[in-house]
Amino acid sequence: MSKKFVDVPEHIAIVMDGNGRWANARGLTRVEGHRAGEAALMDVIEGAIKAGVKYLTVFAFSTENWKRSPDEVKFLMNYNREVLRRRRDQLNGWNVKIRWAGRRPKLWPTVIDELLTAEKLTSKNTGLTFTMCVNYGSRIEILDAVNQIVEDSNSGKLKGKVTEKTIQKYLLTKNLPDVDLFIRSSGEQRISNFLLWQSAYAEFVFLDVLWPDFNREHLWGAIEQYSKRNRRFGGAVDKPKKAKRSG
Ligand code: IPE
Ligand code: IPE
Ligand code: MG
């Protein structure tokens, strides 16, 4: 059964946050929170498909997350790999196209292999494009793009003036449209270096739910909020109210 909305965002980005707090509040270690996040993610993907969303992009591991304890980093690397291996056939069955957005340096080669295998397996699918941002950070993404543009200009591979389109084409998300709806769970109200360029005109919804407790109903609630927003992109419409005259 599909879910109908007045206005469905084409591209939704989610910062899946709050796993550690969810676990610690239950007397568990942080990694148990990450484990509990898998079911939330699968439910949200199914919810996005039912709502008719075309692009769903999630933040799984940031370029800043290497600062965490070696044990947590190791767990997250193994875990990303396991989730992909465990879920890729199910996602393939849902006609989902899996994509990876992230940087190669530091990222475990076995994780990259798993991401590329999932990409290949689902490359012909025509349903939801699901992008996993693993070892992703937006500032370094823009910096990488600028350096590549300079290199390609110097070598003559790139000709003419650099435009917004040029930059967009050099980003890790080059095949994705701009973000329409940006959601963050856990109550934190910040971007944390996620999709800075791509979210220039996104609508933001911050939800006070820790990621392991997040489900499709929360996603649909955020879409509901989105459909009530008035996106102007800098434009304006003049609609003066009729002044009341006495007498
Ligand atoms: C988000 O949950 C998952 C990752 C960053 C990998 P956190 O691990 O950031 O959980 P909190 O924010 O500390 O509760
Ligand atoms: C952002 O969450 C990264 C991911 C969800 C993967 P963080 O928990 O790392 O962000 P901060 O540290 O609260 O800004
Ligand atoms: Mg966090």
Side-chain angles (χ1 to χ4, degrees), residues 17-18 21 68 184:
D17 194 26
R21 277 165 281 170
R68 297 189 177 194
R184 181 169 188 149

Side-chain angles (χ1 to χ4, degrees), residues 19-233:
N19 295 350
R21 277 165 281 170
W22 182 92
N24 286 169
R26 283 163 180 74
L28 304 169
T29 56
R30 294 180 53 82
V31 300
E32 294 308 320
H34 299 314
R35 243 190 257 284
E38 180 180 346
L41 177 60
M42 294 308 287
D43 198 58
V44 164
I45 295 173
E46 216 181 344
I49 295 169
K50 289 196 186 304
V53 173
K54 291 206 174 71
Y55 300 91
L56 176 68
T57 305
V58 301
F59 210 0
F61 190 90
S62 79
T63 47
E64 287 72 38
N65 286 148
W66 298 106
K67 289 180 196 160
R68 297 189 177 194
S69 75
D71 278 352
E72 187 172 347
V73 167
K74 189 171 162 208
F75 177 88
L76 286 168
M77 286 295 124
N78 281 317
Y79 193 62
N80 273 295
R81 196 172 55 195
E82 277 169 30
V83 169
L84 280 159
R85 201 173 296 169
R86 195 164 38 238
R87 299 295 188 171
R88 67 185 174 215
D89 288 336
Q90 189 177 4
L91 292 172
N92 193 28
W94 293 353
N95 195 22
V96 170
K97 192 196 220 44
I98 304 173
R99 302 304 312 263
W100 166 47
R103 301 181 83 236
R104 280 174 179 268
K106 282 200 203 165
L107 189 54
W108 288 17
T110 49
V111 175
I112 298 177
D113 283 352
E114 212 57 58
L115 285 158
L116 298 182
T117 303
E119 277 195 348
K120 202 165 159 208
L121 174 74
T122 61
S123 65
K124 299 221 162 55
N125 288 347
T126 53
L128 176 79
T129 297
F130 169 64
T131 306
M132 267 181 80
C133 295
V134 185
N135 200 24
Y136 173 89
S138 212
R139 283 197 169 179
I140 191 84
E141 170 192 40
I142 293 168
L143 196 60
D144 284 343
V146 169
N147 281 315
Q148 194 60 50
I149 287 169
V150 170
E151 198 178 311
D152 289 353
S153 295
N154 288 343
S155 71
K157 194 172 154 198
L158 183 69
K159 292 177 181 68
K161 276 217 160 99
V162 174
T163 63
E164 284 193 14
K165 256 222 165 76
T166 321
I167 293 179
Q168 202 263 336
K169 277 195 199 135
Y170 278 80
L171 295 178
L172 293 163
T173 56
K174 55 177 169 291
N175 297 314
L176 299 178
D178 280 352
V179 175
D180 297 301
L181 171 59
F182 185 115
I183 300 170
R184 181 169 188 149
S185 63
S186 91
E188 303 301 347
Q189 302 194 358
R190 54 177 171 263
I191 301 177
S192 299
N193 203 16
F194 193 43
L195 302 171
L196 299 179
W197 176 279
Q198 301 84 340
S199 300
Y201 264 108
E203 294 295 326
F204 285 77
V205 173
F206 297 104
L207 294 172
D208 215 350
V209 184
L210 300 172
W211 181 253
D213 292 328
F214 204 98
N215 60 37
R216 68 184 72 186
E217 298 292 336
H218 298 107
L219 176 82
W220 291 345
I223 297 177
E224 201 69 57
Q225 283 195 49
Y226 169 88
S227 54
K228 292 190 189 120
R229 303 265 177 98
N230 180 7
R231 300 181 81 189
R232 289 189 282 272
F233 299 96

